[in-house]
């Protein structure tokens, strides 16, 4: 359907520059036709949805979130990553072998995602093929545009959450891929080795070849997601498990799972965290055009550290944001934006005064164009972008103090969990 929205239009013209205007935003065939102070004649027959004094923002993109972990968010944060995985995460994910449990749990997750400001996401499921497809069914029905991974794990995992062999894991992955590619319009499979410690070289190699095979058959260019350099103990473990690697990223790169296939072609790849990516790894991230999913809330909760986002941005490395639920405690990308700003302030104050903290416009940029670019021409309200947007209602917070639109945006970000998403559109379809 083609239509027009009316309200305060806000989006990033660049990382530092916000556009704000009051007027009409036009959607034709799922794509923005731009915005106007007065509606041009050619669009005068289209229905207008008038959102009054509310803000219209680009849809928010969560480039790293674990759907099965939604069930236990907020628990276990006295532990660091590896103990948290063993004590809380793996036992919960093992339950997704049971399709009835998965059905209930994934319903809650998808409903939450639809309620909030997220329009697109890169999502982990579990190792289980059937419940991963059940999650994808629900996401497809929601209207959100997502990439979803059946997780691969064939070592260093509990018996009830470990695939029997690399061959078994690859077979299940192939079966899942075939079904998913056939079945969905806007729910895409993404290759998901959990992280280097839980995948044998044989499995990694097989996944790299699978990515290459699907490209060669021109079925679909498969993307890859995984975790990278999140926690010091994890990094030491990877050094021991993957001898001969030059850095953690190399454990993926050598198998064609780090932005480039083994035959040197681009593979869209997102790596979560990168708290401790040192020079060599940064070079590789940049050279291979890998996107970093910065997950500041998770990095606080699990005492992981602060990723040097300003440094990545100065170097031209691509950065997006991730809630990393349940490392993060909220699926709200407003919350992730304020976490990102706040940790960058502490990084500047305590670690490096050369690295200025992130500003409000930069945080919005990372949550919209930063993550949106992983999906194509996504993340802006300007003409030609896919029509993803949210209408945000802060009217319940009325105060006698007059506020301009930029001040209202700042409050929406910092008071994240109180922001109401009144309406949401993805590729021109209203999903809320
Ligand atoms: N590394 C491997 N698995 C996980 C996970 O589930 N969450 C986080 N934060 N890091 C991981
Ligand atoms: Fe994660």
């Amino acid at each position: 359907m083609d239509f027009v929205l009316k309200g305060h239009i806000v989006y990033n013209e660049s990382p530092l520059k916000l556009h704000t205007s009051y007027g009409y935003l036009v959607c034709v065939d799922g794509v923005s036709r731009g915005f106007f102070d007065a509606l041009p004649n050619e669009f005068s027959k289209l229905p207008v949805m008038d959102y009054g004094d509310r803000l219209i923002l680009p849809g928010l993109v969560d480039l790293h979130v674990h759907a099965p972990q939604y069930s236990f968010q907020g628990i276990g944060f006295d532990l660091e990553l590896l103990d948290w995985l063993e004590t809380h995460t793996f036992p919960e994910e093992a339950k997704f072998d049971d399709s009835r449990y998965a059905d209930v749990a994934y319903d809650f997750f998808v409903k939450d995602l639809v309620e909030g400001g997220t329009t697109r996401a890169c999502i982990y499921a579990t190792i289980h093929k059937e419940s991963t497809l059940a999650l994808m069914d629900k996401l497809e029905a929601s209207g959100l545009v997502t990439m979803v991974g059946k997780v691969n794990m064939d070592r260093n995992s509990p018996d009830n959450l470990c695939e029997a062999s690399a061959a078994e894991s690859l077979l299940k992955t192939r079966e899942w891929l075939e079904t998913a590619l056939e079945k969905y319009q806007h729910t895409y499979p993404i290759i998901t080795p959990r992280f280097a410690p839980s995948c044998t070289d044989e499995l990694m190699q097989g996944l790299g070849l699978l990515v290459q095979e699907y490209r060669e058959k021109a079925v679909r260019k498969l993307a890859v997601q995984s975790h990278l350099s999140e926690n010091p103990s994890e990094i030491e473990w990877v050094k021991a498990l993957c001898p001969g690697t030059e850095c953690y990223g190399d454990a993926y790169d050598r198998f064609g799972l780090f932005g480039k296939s083994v035959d040197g072609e681009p593979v869209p790849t997102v790596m979560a965290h990168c708290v401790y990516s040192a020079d060599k790894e940064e070079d590789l991230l940049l050279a291979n055009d890998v996107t970093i999913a910065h997950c500041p809330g998770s990095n606080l909760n699990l005492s992981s550290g602060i990723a040097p986002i300003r440094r990545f941005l100065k170097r031209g490395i691509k950065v997006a944001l991730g809630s990393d639920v349940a490392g993060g405690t909220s699926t709200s990308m407003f919350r992730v934006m304020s976490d990102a700003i706040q940790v960058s302030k502490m990084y500047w104050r305590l670690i490096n005064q050369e690295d200025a903290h992130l500003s409000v416009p930069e945080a919005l940029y990372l949550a919209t164009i930063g993550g949106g670019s992983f999906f194509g021409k996504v993340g802006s309200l300007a003409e030609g972008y896919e029509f993803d947007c949210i209408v945000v209602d802060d009217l319940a917070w009325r105060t006698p103090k007059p506020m301009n639109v930029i001040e209202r945006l700042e409050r929406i970000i910092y008071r994240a969990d109180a922001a109401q998403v009144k309406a949401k559109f993805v590729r021109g379809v209203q999903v809320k």
Side-chain angles (χ1 to χ4, degrees), residues 64-66 69 84 124 194 226-227 230 272-273 295 298 324-327:
H64 185 78
V65 56
H66 298 261
Q69 297 178 18
W84 176 78
Y124 282 55
R194 179 174 208 118
S226 195
H227 294 92
E230 176 178 1
H273 303 297
C295 305
S298 169
D324 194 27
V325 160

Side-chain angles (χ1 to χ4, degrees), residues 154-203:
D154 74 335
R155 69 171 175 185
N156 296 320
S157 312
D159 289 347
N160 63 357
L161 194 71
C162 193
E163 296 172 294
S165 63
E168 163 79 8
S169 178
L170 290 166
L171 177 69
K172 286 279 178 297
T173 302
R174 190 180 282 278
E175 289 171 2
W176 159 73
L177 267 180
E178 293 293 336
T179 307
L181 288 169
E182 172 110 330
K183 199 168 179 190
Y184 308 115
Q185 304 303 310
H186 48 85
T187 311
Y188 307 104
I190 178 168
I191 298 299
T192 307
R194 179 174 208 118
F195 67 157
S198 45
C199 300
T200 59
D201 284 3
E202 189 187 348
L203 176 53

Side-chain angles (χ1 to χ4, degrees), residues 273 275 293-307 309 320-324 327-328 333 335-344 358 366:
H273 303 297
V275 177
H294 174 41
C295 305
S298 169
N299 296 335
L300 286 171
N301 291 327
L302 296 171
S303 309
S304 298
I306 306 177
I309 295 306
L321 298 179
S323 69
D324 194 27
M333 293 307 294
R335 175 69 188 275
V336 180
M337 281 185 245
S338 51
D339 286 345
I341 297 171
Q342 288 169 332
V343 301
S344 74
L358 297 176
L366 295 181

Side-chain angles (χ1 to χ4, degrees), residues 17-45:
K17 190 158 187 296
L18 288 176
H19 167 95
T20 63
S21 62
Y22 188 75
Y24 301 87
L25 178 65
V26 178
C27 174
V28 174
D29 291 336
V31 173
S32 169
R33 292 291 298 272
F35 45 82
F36 308 91
D37 295 341
L39 196 58
N41 262 341
E42 60 171 316
F43 303 125
S44 62
K45 296 226 163 50

